[in-house]
Amino acid sequence: MSVKTEAIGKEWPATTYEVGKEKIGEYARVVGLDNPVHFDREAAKAAGYRDVVAPPMFCVVYGAPALGPAMFDDEVGMNFAAMVHGGQEFEWGEPACVGDEITTTARCLEIYEKDGKGFYVFETRSVNQDGAEVAKGTWTNIVRGV
Amino acid sequence: MAELKAGDAIPELRLTPDKYLPHRYAGASGDFNPIHIDPEFAKAVGLPNTILHGLFMMGLVARAATDAGGGDPKALKRLSVQFRGMGAPETEIVVSGTVESVEGGTATIDVVAAQGENQTIRNAEAEVVVA
């Protein structure tokens, strides 16, 4: 058996996520962040933000809905039982604040085989309502025994 | 603004996730993969028990890198990690790092997250604006 490569370059339908204040707070508390800019509107504004600002890694919250259909696509054909999340990169641009409508598009960058493992690399690009890029993600999943 | 120079160690971040942390992270992130929240499922697929979300540990790495840059979330411009070990709840995580370089107002920091000898995240590289 070997990896299928037909899905390289495939792009999936964009998803849009509206950023909410309590969701930012929930995420920030779980990772132990206590900076008031993630909880308090006045503190965020005093620090120069339009509104309560999301922690950078909140990009997994608004980005994941776009990635789901890509990972479960039969054309990609990833074997979930043998999959691990191997690597992850994010680059951040404009901060994500409460009220932003963030649209994310997922694309398959690479599928290849190396040392008996399948590597599946996806990209997500997230832009806000003004068209400014807020985050770009590169997601690498590794499947053993392809 | 943070005074960072090549070779500096960044302040360590230590956190012991409680037994239910993966449930809260699942709720916060939307990632309900049962390997993180269901011990029976985790064992059935060959894991010793439920494991932490890799992206939760990456969240801690992001927090440590952000703090090293002075705490402003927009200072973190890039973070790249490799997941190299499974993280377990109820075990202390230590995030540590060293400044590799500071150029053009951006510090590049090499970061590791570990539980004892088990490096769950390594080869992590963070770019943080410091000026």
Side-chain angles (χ1 to χ4, degrees):
Chain A
M1 201 183 142
S2 62
V3 295
K4 297 194 287 182
T5 55
E6 294 86 346
I8 296 170
K10 184 169 179 177
E11 203 170 286
W12 285 267
T15 61
T16 298
Y17 182 98
E18 185 178 329
V19 179
K21 179 170 174 283
E22 299 305 330
K23 191 69 190 177
I24 289 177
E26 180 190 5
Y27 178 88
R29 273 189 293 275
V30 170
V31 293
L33 286 160
D34 56 9
N35 189 333
V37 297
H38 302 310
F39 304 94
D40 182 85
R41 194 156 273 145
E42 295 315 313
K45 286 183 176 170
Y49 293 102
R50 288 171 280 124
D51 203 323
V52 166
V53 63
M57 284 296 293
F58 189 80
C59 63
V60 303
V61 179
Y62 58 71
L67 190 67
M71 290 180 54
F72 287 100
D73 193 316
D74 285 341
E75 257 184 66
V76 173
M78 261 198 302
N79 174 12
F80 276 85
M83 190 200 86
V84 294
H85 192 170
Q88 184 69 54
E89 178 170 2
F90 289 111
E91 288 175 63
W92 292 278
E94 191 66 25
C97 294
V98 167
D100 282 359
E101 288 195 15
I102 299 182
T103 300
T104 301
T105 309
R107 191 162 69 93
C108 179
L109 284 186
E110 287 185 285
I111 300 176
Y112 60 94
E113 202 176 321
K114 192 179 151 190
D115 304 329
K117 294 175 192 155
F119 288 74
Y120 299 78
V121 186
F122 299 92
E123 178 187 79
T124 52
R125 282 180 175 268
S126 301
V127 298
N128 69 14
Q129 62 283 354
D130 301 320
E133 187 161 281
V134 286
K136 183 176 90 167
T138 309
W139 312 64
T140 303
N141 296 304
I142 303 175
V143 176
R144 292 169 204 281
V146 290
Chain B
M1 306 295 161
E3 298 284 334
L4 292 177
K5 59 181 190 302
D8 282 355
I10 65 167
E12 262 183 9
L13 185 160
R14 288 175 179 266
L15 180 141
T16 303
D18 66 77
K19 186 178 176 183
Y20 300 109
L21 182 284
H23 294 253
R24 295 196 303 282
Y25 183 81
S29 69
D31 180 352
F32 286 90
N33 185 332
I35 61 172
H36 304 301
I37 53 180
D38 181 346
E40 284 172 25
F41 181 92
K43 287 170 189 167
V45 297
L47 297 169
N49 208 329
T50 51
I51 60 171
L52 296 175
H53 293 76
L55 289 171
F56 165 74
M57 294 185 287
M58 187 176 179
L60 298 182
V61 169
R63 188 182 136 197
T66 302
D67 286 348
D72 186 355
K74 70 175 182 296
L76 183 63
K77 301 314 288 180
R78 188 178 75 85
L79 179 60
S80 166
V81 307
Q82 292 182 0
F83 300 110
R84 282 296 177 269
M86 292 179 293
E90 302 184 274
T91 305
E92 187 181 50
I93 301 171
V94 180
V95 182
S96 57
T98 308
V99 179
E100 282 178 356
S101 64
V102 183
E103 278 170 33
T106 299
T108 302
I109 308 172
D110 180 49
V111 193
V112 171
Q115 291 184 315
E117 296 295 303
N118 176 26
Q119 294 192 343
T120 56
I121 290 181
R122 65 171 185 245
N123 296 333
E125 195 174 82
E127 286 179 17
V128 182
V129 174
V130 290

